[in-house]
Each structure stands twice: as structure tokens, then as C-alpha cells.
């Protein structure tokens, strides 16, 4: 059964700049609810914090589970301050899950740990060069039952789709699926996409963007 974040959540999500539809946020929320285990949890490509808020919301009941947020733009103090303030405001109101802001690149961070319970993969330009550097750094490090979420699959970013399919074909991962039609209906009924501050726009689609996929390590 698909679960939905509390309705107050959308105020924070929608006003935060970034690249995610509310339909994708619901998918991500459900994938994050499945995260368990004591491996490291990391988001690769945080930008202004849209996706991070979804994950933190899903983990509201998981105590102090830590989410590492990787974003090279955190190098800029004004950028970091903006994202930090926005996430702290959200946390103050909705819960207090722990997160750590890091300016590291995915390719520098991934080798630091051997066990991952959650990786959100949304870094950079999604070029084949970057995706093909990241994939071998994470493929064997997600622990059994661990969740890997990929943004921008089935879109113009073909390297992401290839990585998603390769990981399934490797036999190490299985796809997690949710009923997109149910999600689109919920988004429409609650007018969620209205006012969502996202540059991830595909007006040619008859529904909000749904370029997100999740894999579970077997
Ligand atoms: C598509 S945006 C992320 C959108 C974000 N997840 C959201 O919810 O709005 C990609 C981000 O990855 C960052 N980035 C670039 N190279 C990276 C790398 N190697 N590791 C982590 N992040 C990277 C970029 O600065 C950019 O902000």
C-alpha cells in the first residue's frame, strides 16, 4: 500500500527550489520507508534540499538515523546557509532526524565506507562519465535489503537508465515498483504539483514527471 507524507509536509517541499515533482517525492518517500539496517545513508546531489526533506520525513520515526547530504555547492557559504536554514525550519516543525551537510563529491565520499543502507543517486550532470565512475564505487557496497534510489531514469539522461537496468541484470538488485497511476491520482486530487518550485519540468507529459526508480539489494 502506498503511504503519503502528512499534508503539512508539502508546504516545505513545494517552496524549496530543486528538481523533483511531488509524484516523484511520493515514490521516494515510500522507498525511504523501506530503509533499514545499520549501513551508512547518503544522498548524492542535494541541491537546495527537496529530496533530502522527503527522506528525512520518511525517517521521522527512526530516531536519530543520520543522512549524509553531499553537495559540492555547499562550498559556498551563502548556498550552504540557505539550504541549512530551510532544512532546519522544516525539521523544527515536522521532526528532528539527523543530517550532515558535506561538500564532498560522490566519488570522494563513496570509497570512505563499505556498507550502505541507503543511497540516493542524483549527482551532477548524469553524464556517462560520472555515472560510470560512481556505479563501481557503490554496486557491491549496498547491504542486503539496502535501498538504492536513482533519479532521472527513463529520461534524456540515458546513463541513469542504463545503470538501473545493469544493476537489475547483474542479479544483485531487484526493482521496487509503486503504482504510478495511484500516485498521479493522489497528486491531482490534492493539487500537489500546483506551486511546486521545481525546474524538473516535462510539460509534454500528461502527468507530473516520474523519472525515479528504486532498487533493493538482494
Ligand atoms: C539534479 S541536482 C539535485 C537535485 C536535488 N536532489 C533535488 O531534490 O532538488 C544535482 C546536484 O548534484 C550536485 N553534484 C554535482 N556533482 C556531484 C557529485 N559528484 N557528487 C554529489 N553531488 C554532485 C550538483 O551541484 C547539483 O546540485
Amino acid at each position: 500500500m502506498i503511504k503519503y507524507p502528512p499534508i503539512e509536509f508539502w508546504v516545505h517541499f513545494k517552496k524549496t527550489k530543486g528538481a523533483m515533482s511531488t509524484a516523484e517525492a511520493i515514490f521516494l518517500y515510500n522507498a525511504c520507508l523501506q530503509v533499514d539496517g545499520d549501513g551508512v545513508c547518503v544522498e548524492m546531489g542535494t541541491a537546495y534540499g527537496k529530496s533530502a526533506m522527503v527522506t528525512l520525513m520518511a525517517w521521522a520515526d527512526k530516531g536519530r538515523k543520520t543522512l549524509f547530504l553531499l553537495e559540492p555547492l555547499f562550498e559556498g557559504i551563502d548556498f550552504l546557509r540557505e539550504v541549512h536554514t530551510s532544512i532546519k525550519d522544516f525539521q523544527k516543525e515536522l521532526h528532528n532526524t539527523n543530517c550532515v551537510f558535506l561538500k564532498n563529491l560522490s566519488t570522494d565520499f563513496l570509497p570512505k565506507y563499505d556498507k550502505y543502507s541507503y543511497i540516493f543517486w542524483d549527482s551532477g550532470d548524469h553524464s556517462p562519465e560520472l555515472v560510470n565512475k560512481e556505479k563501481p564505487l557503490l554496486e557491491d557496497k549496498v547491504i542486503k535489503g539496502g535501498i538504492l534510489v536513482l533519479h532521472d531514469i527513463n529520461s534524456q539522461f540515458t546513463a541513469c537508465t542504463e545503470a538501473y537496468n545493469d544493476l537489475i541484470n547483474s542479479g544483485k538488485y531487484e526493482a521496487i515498483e509503486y503504482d504510478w497511476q495511484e500516485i498521479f491520482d493522489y497528486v491531482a486530487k490534492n493539487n500537489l504539483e500546483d506551486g511546486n518550485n521545481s525546474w524538473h519540468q516535462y510539460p509534454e507529459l500528461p502527468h507530473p514527471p516520474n523519472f525515479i526508480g528504486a532498487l533493493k539489494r538482494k
Side-chain angles (χ1 to χ4, degrees):
M1 202 180 78
I2 297 176
K3 299 207 168 126
Y4 296 92
I7 215 74
E8 318 85 81
F9 168 77
W10 297 111
V11 176
H12 295 274
F13 179 84
K14 284 165 72 158
K15 76 175 179 203
T16 303
K17 284 175 263 183
M20 182 163 278
S21 73
T22 52
E24 291 170 325
I26 292 167
F27 184 106
L28 176 59
Y29 180 74
N30 280 271
C32 288
L33 286 173
Q34 294 204 31
V35 174
D36 209 355
D38 57 3
V40 170
C41 296
V42 62
E43 171 169 291
M44 311 193 309
T46 292
Y48 292 89
K50 249 179 147 55
S51 46
M53 284 179 188
V54 178
T55 304
L56 295 171
M57 190 71 246
W59 294 352
D61 297 330
K62 289 197 193 265
R64 301 292 293 168
K65 194 168 190 56
T66 297
L67 176 64
F68 289 100
L69 303 176
L70 307 188
E71 176 48 69
L73 295 176
F74 291 159
E75 176 88 59
I77 188 68
D78 291 339
F79 187 90
L80 174 60
R81 193 174 288 132
E82 177 177 346
V83 181
H84 191 264
T85 302
S86 155
I87 289 189
K88 288 293 158 198
D89 282 352
F90 153 75
Q91 288 181 313
K92 222 182 289 161
E93 198 182 313
L94 286 166
H95 70 89
N96 195 22
T97 299
N98 203 21
C99 63
V100 179
F101 298 78
L102 298 174
K103 61 185 177 191
N104 301 59
L105 296 173
S106 51
T107 43
D108 294 331
F109 182 89
L110 286 169
K112 289 183 199 283
Y113 298 95
D114 290 328
K115 290 181 177 176
Y116 289 90
S117 291
Y118 173 70
I119 299 178
F120 179 65
W121 193 355
D122 193 14
S123 40
D125 59 3
H126 302 316
S127 64
E129 291 72 26
L130 179 58
V131 171
N132 291 333
K133 264 194 222 160
E134 293 169 321
K135 186 163 157 278
L137 293 176
L138 59 79
E139 180 165 358
D140 292 320
K141 288 190 168 182
V142 178
I143 58 175
K144 188 172 160 49
I147 305 291
L148 173 61
V149 178
L150 297 89
H151 197 218
D152 291 308
I153 63 164
N154 302 327
S155 69
Q156 71 271 35
F157 302 107
T158 52
C160 300
T161 314
E162 274 170 34
Y164 175 84
N165 290 330
D166 284 353
L167 290 168
I168 294 173
N169 293 336
S170 72
K172 297 174 196 167
Y173 289 85
E174 62 190 339
I176 299 175
E177 316 264 16
Y178 300 105
D179 180 348
W180 277 115
Q181 195 53 55
E182 182 187 324
I183 294 175
F184 296 149
D185 290 346
Y186 182 90
V187 167
K189 195 174 107 205
N190 292 282
N191 221 7
L192 290 187
E193 206 45 23
D194 207 27
N196 181 23
N197 192 350
S198 171
W199 64 76
H200 178 68
Q201 295 290 337
Y202 292 80
E204 68 280 14
L205 289 178
H207 51 69
N210 62 334
F211 302 120
I212 190 163
L215 300 172
K216 184 183 270 198
R217 183 75 197 264
K218 291 190 201 166

